[in-house]
């Protein structure tokens, strides 16, 4: 059974995020638990990134399919608490994002007391993933997917995505 | 950026050092599975109603918070392809998506708490409970605030409403993280992070429009004046809210502090318009709505209602 569990963990670890395919679900930090019951059925627990993330159903289908192709039956369940934060993206995941031209998130600010209103642009230590320049500006806090802000490099003039801290 | 020599004979894809991780998306049809399958948004989540809470109360409360998110999500999505520029189009669509996700979880939680709130559908209908609640309830069964159902108006009016709503909902969700119901607490904890971005977005645009041109300021003040009479209803406690949720009266002062902050920076006077009265003492939380909601629902629900046995 331990061997089966290791095998299941290994397989699940290869499943990638449908919107950020350079990241495995493990690197993204949404994989919470893998277990095997006495019948050999695998249960995988994942946690949503954003409430409305349309990738959740695809993640579930990809996990089930990957395990099925290896002859394993699987069910996927959701874990809502504690809520996912970008701090759970692994170092390897951060490197992979940067290598693919996406600026990785900084540390998510811990919430203590009421959330402060921020009317000026958020201050982040972001550099351009294309040319490395720190002379960048935010175009919009909302980008091509729920998890990204849109930036522009003022040196090489390329736009780029930044995975925003939550 | 794409390698210009990508995919030519001289530089076959297999050896291209610029191979993208996205290439797999083009050849693997299994990745295009969005929306082909329903799933329970609370699969595997313990939905036992906490002791001391009436299932009917919990369901009613989840419908209130879920309907607020659903209806404003629909209004915001009406901006798709019509916003002043592409960035704002995408921002409003993203905010709508966050709210739709919150609505889906809350409506699913309502159904799990008290299945009797879910409208009856023909035997064998594949429509999941949260969709039945969204698409098969009539106007007077919706429990949303009247603030969220009003038509969008122009961009300035939309921003004014979003500022008031996101400020209210963020204050509410910050407290809801302490709910005895673990599902509500988890939905709130995630929602707080999303709503923080929504409130900042609305606050920045409010300031920009107020300090922009004479025309942008004129429109902002007009939009705020239209929205303001619907604000008081946010803080009127419904008995269900007072009994098992966050009593909205308890957050009124905190919401005002944030709004005053935005008004002060923007050089805008707090409006003095009187609150819109209810009808025989009833408002949105009681199912008393404006005509705008019936028009909105007609559009939102028509396809689902035509095909109660439909598989999408
Ligand atoms: Zn650059």
């Amino acid at each position: 059974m331990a061997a089966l569990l290791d095998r299941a963990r290994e397989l699940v670890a290869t499943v990638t995020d449908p919107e950020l395919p350079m990241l495995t679900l493990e690197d993204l930090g949404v994989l919470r638990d893998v277990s095997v019951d006495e019948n050999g059925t695998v249960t995988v627990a994942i946690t949503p990134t954003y409430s409305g993330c349309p990738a959740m159903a695809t993640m579930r289908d990809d996990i089930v399919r990957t395990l099925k192709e290896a002859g394993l039956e699987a069910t996927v369940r959701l874990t809502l608490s504690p809520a996912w934060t970008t701090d759970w993206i692994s170092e390897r995941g951060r490197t992979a994002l940067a290598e693919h031209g996406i600026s990785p998130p900084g540390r998510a600010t811990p919430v203590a007391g009421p959330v402060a209103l921020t009317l000026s642009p958020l201050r982040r230590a972001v550099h351009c993933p294309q040319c490395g320049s720190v002379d960048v500006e935010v175009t919009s806090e909302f980008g091509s997917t729920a998890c990204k802000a849109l930036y522009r490099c003022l040196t090489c003039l390329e736009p780029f995505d930044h995975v925003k801290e939550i | 950026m794409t390698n210009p020599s990508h995919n030519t004979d001289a530089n076959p894809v297999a050896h291209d050092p610029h191979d993208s991780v996205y290439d797999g998306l083009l050849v693997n049809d299994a990745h295009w599975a969005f929306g082909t399958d329903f799933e329970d948004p609370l699969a595997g989540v313990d939905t036992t109603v906490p002791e001391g809470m009436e299932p009917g109360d919990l369901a009613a409360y989840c419908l209130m918070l879920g309907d607020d998110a659903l209806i404003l999500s629909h209004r915001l999505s009406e901006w798709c392809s019509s916003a002043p520029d592409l960035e704002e189009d995408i921002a409003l669509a993203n905010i709508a998506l966050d709210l739709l996700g919150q609505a889906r979880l809350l409506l699913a939680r309502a159904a799990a708490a008290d299945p009797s709130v879910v409208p009856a559908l023909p035997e064998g209908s594949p429509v999941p409970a949260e969709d039945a609640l969204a698409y098969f309830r009539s106007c007077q069964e919706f429990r949303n605030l009247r603030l969220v159902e009003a038509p969008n108006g122009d961009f300035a009016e939309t921003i004014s409403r979003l500022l008031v709503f996101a400020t209210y909902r963020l204050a509410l969700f910050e407290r809801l993280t302490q709910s005895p119901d673990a599902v509500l607490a988890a939905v709130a904890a995630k929602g707080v992070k999303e709503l923080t971005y929504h409130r900042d977005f609305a606050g920045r645009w409010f300031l920009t429009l107020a300090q922009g041109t004479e025309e942008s300021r004129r429109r902002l003040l007009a939009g705020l004046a239209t929205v303001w009479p619907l604000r008081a209803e946010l803080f009127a406690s419904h008995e269900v809210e007072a009994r098992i949720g966050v009593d909205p009266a308890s957050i009124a002062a905190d919401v005002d502090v944030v709004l005053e902050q935005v008004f002060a920076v923007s050089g805008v006077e707090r409006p003095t318009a009187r609150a819109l009265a209810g009808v025989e003492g009833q408002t949105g939380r009681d199912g008393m709505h404006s005509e705008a909601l019936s028009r909105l629902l007609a559009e939102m629900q028509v396809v689902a209602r035509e095909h109660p046995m439909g598989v999408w």
Side-chain angles (χ1 to χ4, degrees):
Chain A
M1 202 55 90
L4 184 59
L5 181 60
D6 285 346
R7 173 101 183 99
R9 280 206 177 114
E10 239 167 68
L11 286 163
V12 173
T14 64
V15 178
T16 54
D17 178 76
E19 290 178 346
L20 297 167
M22 69 292 291
L23 292 187
T24 64
L25 299 186
E26 192 170 40
D27 287 333
L28 183 61
V30 299
L31 200 56
R32 281 292 168 81
D33 188 48
V34 181
S35 62
V36 178
D37 70 9
E38 58 274 20
N39 304 318
T41 302
V42 183
T43 301
V44 180
I46 57 175
T47 192
T49 51
Y50 282 73
S51 302
C53 180
M56 290 307 293
T58 310
M59 287 182 195
R60 183 208 51 186
D61 292 350
D62 288 350
I63 290 169
V64 170
R65 193 183 58 252
T66 301
L67 290 169
K68 206 184 186 86
E69 281 167 4
L72 297 174
E73 282 302 315
T75 55
V76 176
R77 63 180 184 84
L78 294 176
T79 309
L80 296 182
S81 182
W84 179 82
T85 116
T86 39
D87 288 352
W88 293 1
I89 299 178
S90 68
E91 276 312 313
R92 189 175 60 180
R94 287 162 197 271
T95 307
L97 284 170
E99 278 170 357
H100 287 88
I102 297 175
S103 161
R107 289 287 144 208
T109 323
V111 177
V115 181
L117 177 73
T118 314
L119 292 178
S120 48
L122 293 177
R123 299 172 77 84
R124 298 185 175 103
V126 170
H127 62 262
C128 170
Q130 320 282 348
C131 75
S133 169
V134 294
D135 193 12
V136 299
E137 69 175 12
V138 67
T139 309
S140 174
E141 284 296 335
F142 297 90
S144 55
T145 64
C147 58
K148 289 182 243 153
L150 189 60
Y151 272 73
R152 188 164 69 123
C153 175
L154 299 175
T155 303
C156 74
L157 303 179
E158 290 285 350
F160 65 90
D161 281 331
H162 172 77
V163 175
K164 61 190 181 192
E165 300 73 19
I166 69 162
Chain B
M1 291 287 97
T2 320
N3 176 358
S5 62
H6 196 89
N7 242 344
T8 61
D9 290 345
N11 196 354
V13 173
H15 302 291
D16 190 336
H18 292 85
D19 256 4
S20 158
V21 286
Y22 294 101
D23 288 349
L25 298 180
L26 302 176
V27 294
N28 187 350
D29 283 345
H31 280 292
W32 298 108
F34 288 122
T36 56
D37 189 12
F38 286 125
E39 61 162 346
D40 177 1
L42 296 175
V45 174
D46 182 1
T47 53
T48 312
V49 177
E51 220 172 301
M53 229 184 234
E54 283 298 319
D57 273 357
L58 179 56
Y61 188 54
C62 290
L63 289 181
M64 293 174 183
L65 301 185
D67 288 347
D68 285 349
L70 176 65
I71 300 304
L72 188 58
S73 172
H74 189 84
R75 279 292 181 224
L76 290 173
S77 69
E78 290 173 357
W79 276 107
C80 246
S81 80
S82 301
D85 61 37
L86 186 57
E87 283 74 21
E88 274 29 83
D89 210 295
I90 292 169
L92 292 171
N94 267 296
I95 294 169
L97 182 63
D98 286 342
L99 291 174
L100 188 62
Q102 293 175 14
R104 188 176 178 210
L105 288 163
L106 288 162
L107 296 187
R109 208 291 167 256
D114 181 3
S116 75
V117 298
V118 182
L121 289 175
E123 189 75 34
S125 167
V127 175
E130 70 271 20
D131 280 19
L133 284 166
Y135 297 122
F136 292 88
R137 274 182 302 156
S138 62
C139 196
Q140 66 273 18
E141 291 172 298
F142 275 76
R143 291 290 175 266
N144 58 278
L145 300 159
R146 289 180 297 174
L147 173 75
V148 297
E149 71 199 34
N152 280 325
D154 63 10
F155 183 70
E157 190 173 328
T158 292
I159 289 296
S160 297
R161 166 168 56 191
L162 184 58
L163 174 68
V164 172
F165 179 76
T167 304
Y168 154 83
R169 194 168 174 91
L170 178 52
L172 195 160
F173 271 34
E174 284 184 89
R175 286 160 182 78
L176 195 61
T177 57
Q178 305 303 316
S179 172
D181 181 49
V183 181
L184 266 183
V187 170
K190 182 158 294 294
V192 161
K193 298 166 177 219
E194 295 162 354
L195 292 161
T196 299
Y197 279 101
H198 304 174
R199 192 184 65 178
D200 285 349
F201 169 83
R204 286 179 193 131
W205 264 114
F206 192 95
L207 170 61
T208 300
L209 295 172
Q211 300 291 319
T213 63
E214 212 171 285
E215 175 67 358
S216 72
R217 185 176 176 84
R218 183 189 68 74
R219 286 183 176 231
L220 181 76
L221 296 177
L224 182 63
T226 306
V227 164
W228 200 254
L230 293 163
R231 175 198 147 275
E233 186 179 325
L234 276 54
F235 307 107
S237 314
H238 185 278
E239 56 176 332
V240 169
E241 293 172 301
R243 203 154 51 225
I244 63 145
V246 175
D247 186 340
S250 72
I251 61 170
D254 285 6
V255 170
D256 266 353
V257 166
V258 175
L259 292 180
E260 293 296 346
Q261 200 183 336
V262 179
F263 293 161
V265 174
S266 307
V268 168
E269 293 275 325
R270 180 190 167 94
T272 51
R274 295 222 340 245
L276 182 69
V279 179
E280 290 167 2
Q282 300 210 312
T283 60
R285 292 286 188 239
D286 309 299
M288 188 61 75
H289 296 284
S290 60
E291 188 193 348
L293 182 64
S294 49
R295 291 174 185 274
L296 181 154
L297 292 179
E299 183 184 295
M300 187 179 88
Q301 297 180 331
V302 62
V303 176
R305 284 182 178 251
E306 290 278 337
H307 306 281
M309 301 300 284
V311 178
W312 312 95

